[in-house]
Amino acid sequence: MATFVLIHGGGGSSWDWHLLAPELAGRGHDVVVPELPIEDRAAGFAEFCDTVVNAVGDRRNLVVVGHSYGAFTAPLVADKLPVRLIVLLTPMIPKPGESPDAWWGNTGHRSAEGFSEEEQFYNGVPAEIVAAASAHGRDQVSAEWNEPWPLDAWPDVPTRVLIAREDRFFPPDFQRRVAADRLDAVPDEIDGGHAVALSRPKQLADQLTAYLPR
């Protein structure tokens, strides 16, 4: 049994994982779904990391999954706890000393033209789930936006990058380039869009558990 630690993205909440968590639990795994303190103007990377560490408690056999902006926090947790695997899901992959604000220009990210924000984030997600999502979004006013990412190097922990083939927010070619540049990694790929945990939770659970040794 593994413990999957699911870290949501920017403006998100534990609700983002409400379809994936039972899929993982149904496969016999423990699941921890912390809520980052994104509504606290004083909270930065240290507080994000502490929130996750405290939620994990004394659990072990940890697989930390960072979705999108959550990829800034996942490696911080792996620097504090005995994590067996980091999975970066449709991620913003940071580099040492880089602030989230600077990431966009440094990576050369360009917004998709012709799509609304909802269409970029939720393509492929059932309409009733998209309709419910707005009630679970949160204002991200926390302090980490302009903070340098605090690690000097990536943790010495096996890391997988998992991207979505229909992602409109971080298109696959962009993700492949950033993963190669920053982690010298070739991403794994799954069908779905940026919010793949909401559109294809069963397939995502299959992919995540496939990373575990037999």
Side-chain angles (χ1 to χ4, degrees):
M1 182 188 78
T3 297
F4 284 89
V5 183
L6 308 179
I7 302 175
H8 63 76
S13 71
S14 59
W15 180 87
D16 298 350
W17 305 109
H18 78 283
L19 300 178
L20 177 65
E23 292 289 341
L24 294 170
R27 289 162 172 77
H29 302 289
D30 194 6
V31 184
V32 179
V33 191
E35 297 254 359
L36 299 182
I38 64 173
E39 295 173 298
D40 181 353
R41 294 184 183 277
F45 283 128
E47 288 74 21
F48 283 21
C49 183
D50 287 347
T51 296
V52 180
V53 169
N54 291 337
V56 169
D58 60 1
R59 295 174 177 88
R60 292 294 180 264
N61 205 17
L62 306 176
V63 177
V64 178
V65 181
H67 175 236
S68 196
Y69 194 19
F72 268 81
T73 300
L76 305 183
V77 177
D79 196 50
K80 300 290 186 182
L81 295 176
V83 172
R84 66 183 290 183
L85 177 68
I86 300 169
V87 181
L88 306 178
L89 177 63
T90 62
M92 294 173 66
I93 302 173
K95 64 180 181 180
E98 179 179 64
S99 69
D101 179 47
W103 181 91
W104 305 88
N106 290 347
T107 58
H109 179 264
R110 297 290 182 270
S111 296
E113 296 183 2
F115 296 108
S116 68
E117 184 174 295
E118 182 178 290
E119 290 169 334
Q120 291 182 57
F121 277 91
Y122 295 116
N123 60 304
V125 177
E128 64 273 16
I129 298 175
V130 176
S134 61
H136 298 277
R138 298 185 294 156
D139 290 334
Q140 182 129 7
V141 297
S142 42
E144 86 296 331
W145 185 250
N146 294 303
E147 286 185 2
W149 193 62
L151 296 187
D152 294 328
W154 200 263
D156 186 19
V157 174
T159 300
R160 305 296 290 260
V161 180
L162 179 57
I163 66 175
R165 297 185 181 99
E166 290 85 43
D167 195 337
R168 292 171 176 167
F169 189 59
F170 295 150
D173 286 346
F174 168 79
Q175 295 263 268
R176 295 183 194 108
R177 174 174 58 78
V178 175
D181 178 58
R182 300 199 161 194
L183 294 177
D184 194 25
V186 176
D188 299 312
E189 302 188 14
I190 188 172
D191 290 337
H194 193 68
V196 66
L198 294 174
S199 64
R200 295 176 180 268
K202 292 182 180 180
Q203 293 89 336
L204 179 55
D206 287 342
Q207 182 67 52
L208 293 174
T209 54
Y211 289 142
L212 303 175
R214 300 291 181 184

